[in-house]
Protein backbone atom coordinates (compact mmCIF):
# COMPACT_ATOMS: atom_id res chain seq x y z
CA UNK A 1 0.00 0.00 0.00
CA UNK A 2 2.76 2.36 -1.01
CA UNK A 3 0.29 5.06 -2.04
CA UNK A 4 -1.39 5.20 1.39
CA UNK A 5 1.68 5.02 3.65
CA UNK A 6 2.37 8.81 3.70
CA UNK A 7 -0.97 9.14 5.54
CA UNK A 8 0.29 6.77 8.25
CA UNK A 9 3.60 8.64 8.53
CA UNK A 10 1.79 11.98 8.73
CA UNK A 11 -0.50 10.64 11.44
CA UNK A 12 2.28 9.07 13.54
CA UNK A 13 4.57 12.12 13.39
CA UNK A 14 1.72 14.54 14.13
CA UNK A 15 0.43 12.38 16.96
CA UNK A 16 3.84 12.32 18.67
CA UNK A 17 4.10 16.10 18.29
CA UNK A 18 0.68 16.50 19.92
CA UNK A 19 1.86 14.29 22.79
CA UNK A 20 5.04 16.34 23.18
CA UNK A 21 3.20 19.65 22.91
CA UNK A 22 4.69 21.18 26.07
CA UNK A 23 8.30 20.46 25.13
CA UNK A 24 8.06 21.09 21.39
CA UNK A 25 6.30 24.43 21.77
CA UNK A 26 9.43 25.69 23.58
CA UNK A 27 12.23 24.46 21.30
CA UNK A 28 14.36 27.30 20.02
CA UNK A 29 15.85 25.69 16.93
CA UNK A 30 13.12 24.36 14.65
CA UNK A 31 15.34 21.94 12.71
CA UNK A 32 18.05 21.17 15.28
CA UNK A 33 16.57 19.55 18.36
CA UNK A 34 16.45 16.12 19.99
CA UNK A 35 12.72 15.68 19.29
CA UNK A 36 13.17 15.83 15.53
CA UNK A 37 16.09 13.41 15.90
CA UNK A 38 13.91 10.92 17.80
CA UNK A 39 11.13 11.19 15.22
CA UNK A 40 13.54 10.60 12.32
CA UNK A 41 15.19 7.66 14.10
CA UNK A 42 11.70 6.19 14.52
CA UNK A 43 11.04 6.50 10.79
CA UNK A 44 14.51 5.57 9.49
CA UNK A 45 15.36 2.72 11.87
CA UNK A 46 11.94 1.14 12.39
CA UNK A 47 9.29 2.22 9.86
CA UNK A 48 11.33 2.22 6.64
CA UNK A 49 13.09 -1.17 7.14
CA UNK A 50 9.76 -2.86 7.85
CA UNK A 51 8.17 -1.26 4.79
CA UNK A 52 11.09 -2.24 2.55
CA UNK A 53 10.78 -5.82 3.73
CA UNK A 54 7.02 -5.83 3.04
CA UNK A 55 7.57 -4.19 -0.37
CA UNK A 56 10.16 -6.83 -1.27
CA UNK A 57 8.03 -9.73 0.00
CA UNK A 58 4.69 -8.53 -1.38
CA UNK A 59 5.56 -6.27 -4.31
CA UNK A 60 2.31 -6.93 -6.16
CA UNK A 61 0.11 -6.08 -3.17
CA UNK A 62 2.20 -3.06 -2.07
CA UNK A 63 1.88 -1.53 -5.54
CA UNK A 64 -1.86 -2.31 -5.73
CA UNK A 65 -1.05 -4.99 -8.32
CA UNK A 66 0.61 -2.66 -10.80
CA UNK A 67 3.90 -4.57 -10.60
CA UNK A 68 4.44 -8.27 -9.96
CA UNK A 69 6.96 -9.71 -7.50
CA UNK A 70 10.43 -10.17 -8.98
CA UNK A 71 10.06 -7.22 -11.34
CA UNK A 72 13.19 -5.40 -12.53
CA UNK A 73 11.56 -2.24 -11.19
CA UNK A 74 11.88 -3.40 -7.57
CA UNK A 75 15.19 -1.59 -6.77
CA UNK A 76 13.76 1.64 -8.14
CA UNK A 77 10.55 1.10 -6.16
CA UNK A 78 12.53 0.62 -2.95
CA UNK A 79 14.48 3.84 -3.59
CA UNK A 80 11.24 5.66 -4.36
CA UNK A 81 9.63 4.30 -1.18
CA UNK A 82 12.54 5.52 0.95
CA UNK A 83 12.34 8.96 -0.65
CA UNK A 84 8.57 9.18 -0.17
CA UNK A 85 8.76 8.09 3.47
CA UNK A 86 11.56 10.52 4.39
CA UNK A 87 9.92 13.41 2.52
CA UNK A 88 6.54 12.65 4.13
CA UNK A 89 8.13 12.59 7.60
CA UNK A 90 9.89 15.93 7.13
CA UNK A 91 6.78 17.58 5.67
CA UNK A 92 4.66 16.17 8.49
CA UNK A 93 7.10 17.54 11.07
CA UNK A 94 7.24 20.98 9.45
CA UNK A 95 3.46 21.31 9.03
CA UNK A 96 2.53 20.02 12.48
CA UNK A 97 5.16 22.14 14.23
CA UNK A 98 3.85 25.19 12.39
CA UNK A 99 0.28 24.36 13.41
CA UNK A 100 1.38 23.72 17.01
CA UNK A 101 2.97 27.14 17.30
CA UNK A 102 0.27 29.06 15.46
CA UNK A 103 -2.95 27.29 16.48
CA UNK A 104 -2.24 25.00 19.43
CA UNK A 105 -1.95 21.27 20.01
CA UNK A 106 -5.66 20.48 19.56
CA UNK A 107 -5.41 21.19 15.84
CA UNK A 108 -2.31 18.98 15.60
CA UNK A 109 -4.16 16.14 17.33
CA UNK A 110 -7.18 16.54 15.07
CA UNK A 111 -5.06 16.60 11.92
CA UNK A 112 -3.03 13.55 12.96
CA UNK A 113 -6.22 11.63 13.70
CA UNK A 114 -7.51 12.65 10.28
CA UNK A 115 -4.37 11.19 8.68
CA UNK A 116 -4.76 7.95 10.63
CA UNK A 117 -8.51 7.86 9.97
CA UNK A 118 -8.14 8.39 6.24
CA UNK A 119 -5.56 5.62 6.10
CA UNK A 120 -7.66 3.15 8.11
CA UNK A 121 -10.99 3.91 6.45
CA UNK A 122 -9.46 3.60 2.97
CA UNK A 123 -8.62 0.00 3.85
CA UNK A 124 -12.35 -0.63 4.22
CA UNK A 125 -13.49 1.40 1.21
CA UNK A 126 -11.02 -0.24 -1.17
CA UNK A 127 -10.63 -3.56 0.61
CA UNK A 128 -11.01 -5.54 -2.62
CA UNK A 129 -7.70 -3.98 -3.76
CA UNK A 130 -5.86 -2.91 -0.60
CA UNK A 131 -6.78 -6.12 1.21
CA UNK A 132 -6.88 -8.52 -1.72
CA UNK A 133 -5.71 -12.03 -0.85
CA UNK A 134 -5.12 -13.36 -4.35
CA UNK A 135 -2.08 -13.27 -6.62
CA UNK A 136 -1.10 -10.75 -9.29
CA UNK A 137 -2.62 -12.98 -11.96
CA UNK A 138 -5.78 -13.53 -9.90
CA UNK A 139 -6.30 -9.80 -9.58
CA UNK A 140 -5.90 -9.09 -13.29
CA UNK A 141 -8.13 -11.97 -14.33
CA UNK A 142 -10.91 -10.75 -12.06
CA UNK A 143 -10.88 -13.54 -9.45
CA UNK A 144 -13.01 -12.36 -6.50
CA UNK A 145 -11.66 -12.73 -2.96
CA UNK A 146 -13.50 -12.01 0.27
CA UNK A 147 -12.39 -9.54 2.92
CA UNK A 148 -12.14 -12.34 5.50
CA UNK A 149 -9.77 -14.38 3.33
CA UNK A 150 -7.15 -11.62 3.62
CA UNK A 151 -6.96 -12.14 7.40
CA UNK A 152 -5.40 -15.58 6.90
CA UNK A 153 -2.67 -14.52 4.44
CA UNK A 154 1.00 -13.84 5.03
CA UNK A 155 0.32 -10.31 3.81
CA UNK A 156 -1.86 -9.65 6.82
CA UNK A 157 0.74 -11.25 9.09
CA UNK A 158 3.67 -9.27 7.65
CA UNK A 159 2.01 -5.90 6.99
CA UNK A 160 -0.32 -5.69 9.97
CA UNK A 161 0.61 -8.05 12.81
CA UNK A 162 4.41 -7.91 12.42
CA UNK A 163 4.30 -4.18 11.70
CA UNK A 164 2.39 -3.55 14.91
CA UNK A 165 4.69 -5.84 16.92
CA UNK A 166 7.86 -4.17 15.59
CA UNK A 167 6.78 -0.55 15.16
CA UNK A 168 4.03 -0.29 17.78
CA UNK A 169 6.24 -0.40 20.90
CA UNK A 170 8.59 2.38 19.73
CA UNK A 171 5.66 4.54 18.62
CA UNK A 172 3.81 4.18 21.93
CA UNK A 173 7.02 4.60 23.94
CA UNK A 174 7.73 7.96 22.29
CA UNK A 175 4.13 9.19 22.42
CA UNK A 176 3.46 8.11 26.00
CA UNK A 177 6.81 9.28 27.39
CA UNK A 178 6.41 12.70 25.78
CA UNK A 179 2.88 12.91 27.16
CA UNK A 180 4.18 12.19 30.68
CA UNK A 181 5.26 15.83 31.10
CA UNK A 182 1.58 16.80 31.28
CA UNK A 183 -0.45 16.93 34.46
CA UNK A 184 -3.25 14.49 35.27
CA UNK A 185 -5.91 16.98 34.16
CA UNK A 186 -4.05 17.74 30.93
CA UNK A 187 -3.80 14.03 30.13
CA UNK A 188 -7.52 13.64 30.77
CA UNK A 189 -8.36 16.58 28.52
CA UNK A 190 -6.10 15.14 25.82
CA UNK A 191 -7.73 11.69 25.92
CA UNK A 192 -11.20 13.27 25.84
CA UNK A 193 -10.17 15.30 22.80
CA UNK A 194 -8.93 12.16 21.05
CA UNK A 195 -12.13 10.18 21.72
CA UNK A 196 -14.39 13.05 20.70
CA UNK A 197 -12.50 13.83 17.51
CA UNK A 198 -12.06 10.18 16.51
CA UNK A 199 -15.78 9.48 16.91
CA UNK A 200 -16.76 12.60 14.97
CA UNK A 201 -14.32 11.89 12.14
CA UNK A 202 -15.44 8.24 11.95
CA UNK A 203 -19.06 9.33 11.57
CA UNK A 204 -18.08 11.88 8.92
CA UNK A 205 -16.08 9.30 6.93
CA UNK A 206 -19.06 6.92 6.92
CA UNK A 207 -21.53 9.68 6.02
CA UNK A 208 -19.37 10.98 3.17
CA UNK A 209 -19.02 7.47 1.78
CA UNK A 210 -22.77 6.80 2.06
CA UNK A 211 -23.67 10.13 0.43
CA UNK A 212 -21.16 9.44 -2.35
CA UNK A 213 -22.69 6.02 -3.03
CA UNK A 214 -26.20 7.42 -3.34
CA UNK A 215 -25.10 10.55 -5.21
CA UNK A 216 -23.21 8.61 -7.88
CA UNK A 217 -25.76 5.82 -8.03
CA UNK A 218 -24.93 2.80 -10.13
CA UNK A 219 -23.60 4.78 -13.08
CA UNK A 220 -20.23 4.51 -14.76
CA UNK A 221 -18.61 6.71 -12.08
CA UNK A 222 -19.62 4.26 -9.38
CA UNK A 223 -18.90 0.58 -10.09
CA UNK A 224 -21.65 -1.52 -8.59
CA UNK A 225 -19.33 -3.01 -5.96
CA UNK A 226 -19.28 0.33 -4.07
CA UNK A 227 -22.47 0.06 -2.02
CA UNK A 228 -23.55 0.65 1.56
CA UNK A 229 -22.77 -3.02 2.19
CA UNK A 230 -19.15 -1.92 2.59
CA UNK A 231 -19.99 0.16 5.65
CA UNK A 232 -19.44 -2.68 8.18
CA UNK A 233 -15.92 -3.23 6.80
CA UNK A 234 -15.22 0.51 6.81
CA UNK A 235 -16.43 0.81 10.41
CA UNK A 236 -14.33 -2.20 11.46
CA UNK A 237 -11.17 -0.99 9.74
CA UNK A 238 -11.54 2.51 11.17
CA UNK A 239 -12.62 1.98 14.77
CA UNK A 240 -10.50 -1.05 15.77
CA UNK A 241 -7.12 0.61 15.02
CA UNK A 242 -8.32 3.92 16.47
CA UNK A 243 -9.36 2.12 19.65
CA UNK A 244 -5.89 0.56 19.92
CA UNK A 245 -4.33 3.98 19.31
CA UNK A 246 -6.26 5.94 21.94
CA UNK A 247 -6.89 3.37 24.69
CA UNK A 248 -3.40 3.61 26.31
CA UNK A 249 -3.83 7.36 26.76
CA UNK A 250 -7.25 6.83 28.30
CA UNK A 251 -5.85 4.30 30.77
CA UNK A 252 -3.01 6.62 31.83
CA UNK A 253 -5.43 9.50 32.27
CA UNK A 254 -7.56 7.55 34.77
Amino acid sequence: MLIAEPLWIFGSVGFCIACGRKQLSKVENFWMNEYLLVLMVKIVCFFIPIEIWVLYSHTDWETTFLIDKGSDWLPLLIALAIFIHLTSAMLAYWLNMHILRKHGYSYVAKLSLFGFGLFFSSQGIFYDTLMYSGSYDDFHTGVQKSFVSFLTTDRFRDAYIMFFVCFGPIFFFIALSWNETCSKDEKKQFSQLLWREALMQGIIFCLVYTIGVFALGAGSMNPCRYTVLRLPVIILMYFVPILILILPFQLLAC
Side-chain angles (χ1 to χ4, degrees):
M1 299 177 297
L2 189 60
I3 58 174
E5 283 158 9
L7 292 171
W8 174 269
I9 293 176
F10 183 87
S12 67
V13 170
F15 196 84
C16 288
I17 289 176
C19 291
R21 53 199 177 277
K22 297 186 77 171
Q23 309 95 300
L24 284 162
S25 61
K26 298 176 182 178
V27 294
E28 295 180 359
N29 194 320
F30 195 87
W31 293 107
M32 296 291 291
N33 59 77
E34 64 269 30
Y35 302 104
L36 174 59
L37 177 62
V38 169
L39 290 174
M40 293 310 296
V41 166
K42 178 187 73 170
I43 297 298
V44 173
C45 296
F46 293 89
F47 186 90
I48 289 180
I50 297 171
E51 286 303 316
I52 290 175
W53 173 54
V54 174
L55 178 59
Y56 175 80
S57 303
H58 310 286
T59 308
D60 50 357
W61 176 67
E62 274 282 295
T63 59
T64 58
F65 300 95
L66 294 175
I67 297 174
D68 198 3
K69 185 177 180 179
S71 170
D72 294 336
W73 289 93
L74 184 58
L76 181 60
L77 277 174
I78 292 175
L80 178 62
I82 294 172
F83 173 77
I84 290 174
H85 295 338
L86 289 176
T87 303
S88 300
M90 295 302 293
L91 287 174
Y93 172 79
W94 172 80
L95 179 59
N96 283 289
M97 283 292 288
H98 176 77
I99 294 173
L100 177 66
R101 294 185 173 188
K102 295 293 184 180
H103 305 287
Y105 83 92
S106 63
Y107 286 92
V108 177
K110 292 175 183 179
L111 199 58
S112 64
L113 284 175
F114 180 77
F116 276 131
L118 199 57
F119 175 83
F120 295 138
S121 59
S122 68
Q123 311 303 297
I125 296 173
F126 306 108
Y127 75 83
D128 47 357
T129 300
L130 300 181
M131 303 189 78
Y132 185 73
S133 60
S135 66
Y136 177 88
D137 292 332
D138 288 340
F139 182 84
H140 287 282
T141 54
V143 177
Q144 298 295 314
K145 299 288 184 177
S146 68
F147 166 76
V148 177
S149 66
F150 181 80
L151 304 180
T152 62
T153 64
D154 55 352
R155 292 171 187 167
F156 179 74
R157 180 200 65 204
D158 295 344
Y160 289 83
I161 297 176
M162 291 304 298
F163 180 83
F164 180 78
V165 169
C166 297
F167 184 74
I170 188 65
F171 168 76
F172 280 113
F173 174 78
I174 294 171
L176 292 170
S177 61
W178 286 6
N179 196 49
E180 274 301 303
T181 59
C182 299
S183 66
K184 196 78 171 180
D185 288 339
E186 288 172 331
K187 291 178 184 178
K188 186 175 181 179
Q189 291 173 3
F190 184 58
S191 65
Q192 289 174 345
L193 170 67
L194 295 178
W195 284 120
R196 183 172 61 251
E197 192 64 26
L199 179 60
M200 184 179 69
Q201 289 189 15
I203 294 172
I204 291 174
F205 283 136
C206 292
L207 283 176
V208 169
Y209 174 78
T210 303
I211 292 171
V213 167
F214 284 105
L216 296 177
S220 59
M221 294 183 64
N222 179 27
C224 60
R225 65 178 183 272
Y226 293 106
T227 68
V228 292
L229 296 178
R230 287 184 181 236
L231 279 176
V233 179
I234 297 171
I235 292 170
L236 176 69
M237 291 305 299
Y238 176 85
F239 282 104
V240 170
I242 288 294
L243 177 65
I244 296 172
L245 174 68
I246 301 177
L247 191 57
F249 296 89
Q250 177 66 44
L251 295 175
L252 290 177
C254 296

